[in-house]
Amino acid sequence: MKKIILTGGGTAGHVMPHLALLPYLRGKNYHIDYIGSKNGIEKKLIEKEGLPYYGIASGKLRRYIDFKNFTDLFKIFFGTIESIFLMHKLKPNLVFSKGGFVTVPVVIAAWLTKVPVVIHESDMTPGLANKIASRFAVKICTTFESTLAHIPASKGVHTGAPIRGELLLGEGHKGHVYTRLDYNKAILMVTGGSLGAHSINDCLRNSLIELTKTFHVVHLCGKGNIDHSYDYLEGYRQYEFVGKHMADLYAMADVVVSRAGSNTITELVALKKPHLLIPLPATQSRGDQLLNADAFEAFGYSMVLQQEHLTPETLMKSVLYLHQHPQIYSEKMAEYAFADGTKHILYTLEGLLPQE
């Protein structure tokens, strides 16, 4: 039996692409193991799928001076030692890495034990973890063709992003049942990602009185961000995380507001959902979401509102425009031919597995 180790973590965005591949890998009867951090969000998500999960020590390398950079080097070292033992124990034929700092020890250990590594880079430019890991990879799959300019030509493969098949099969009426919202108003879905987005959460809640005159609002606010003081408001539903219900919520949504993580954008484009992107500003990130948002806005797929311009008034104006003119964006999104990269990534992986 062919064996594959999956690795990635830190946010749900580093895990969900694995879940998109999982049904196909299982269908091929591959044995799948997962290596992640000891207590990251990936542990809960992967264990729900019934996969063997192995937690290792992991640290983060920051782009600024911080004493934790020194202490985290030791975590990365111990994580690499743990990963080497796991490579010998699990004997994989291939490692597929989706990014996040927990993947660095895993990729290094695979290289040291001569296990081929494939990386997937979701953003326009590689993040620091993938920049390090790319030195040890044999292939680097990319969501965007322009990313190929930032990686070695011999390694780069433009595949697109893997999209969970179940997202394309959502049923809007089930979303209405789950949220207990009627059909009298359009549905506005707002998400800040698995960890939440405080600026979006605050602005949305300050806008609810006006927004709920036009929309029912479904708010995915992130872990620990439920605010029960708004429970009285009819037409507003808030959830930390919705898991298996996400496909049905997407299906019933008329307009979506989101951060500009690559995985979320490609899902929205594949579903042809009119959407407003509010990318993380450069002060809070390395700027990858700004690049993603700029590109999708230039393609005509997305409306973008920068966080520094985010107010209840600009939020209301933007979502109303999307609701009133959805065809402007949905027609452009229909032209996006490379929306689902699942099969392209599988082809790349299978090309590196031993042939029977």
Side-chain angles (χ1 to χ4, degrees), residues 11-12 45 202 265 311 351:
T11 69
L45 292 172
D202 292 343
I265 302 177
T311 66

Side-chain angles (χ1 to χ4, degrees), residues 58-64 66 68-73 75-76 100-102 128 284:
S58 61
K60 179 179 180 180
L61 294 177
R62 299 155 187 85
R63 296 170 184 269
Y64 51 87
D66 191 305
K68 290 182 180 178
N69 283 338
F70 176 74
T71 57
D72 279 8
L73 281 174
K75 293 180 181 179
I76 294 170
F101 283 95
V102 70
L128 182 55
Q284 298 179 31

Side-chain angles (χ1 to χ4, degrees), residues 176 179-183 187 216-218 234-237 252:
H176 282 279
T179 59
R180 294 173 290 106
L181 292 171
D182 59 38
Y183 294 82
I187 302 294
H216 288 321
V217 179
V218 178
E234 186 57 37
Y236 173 61
R237 302 288 187 268
M252 80 169 184

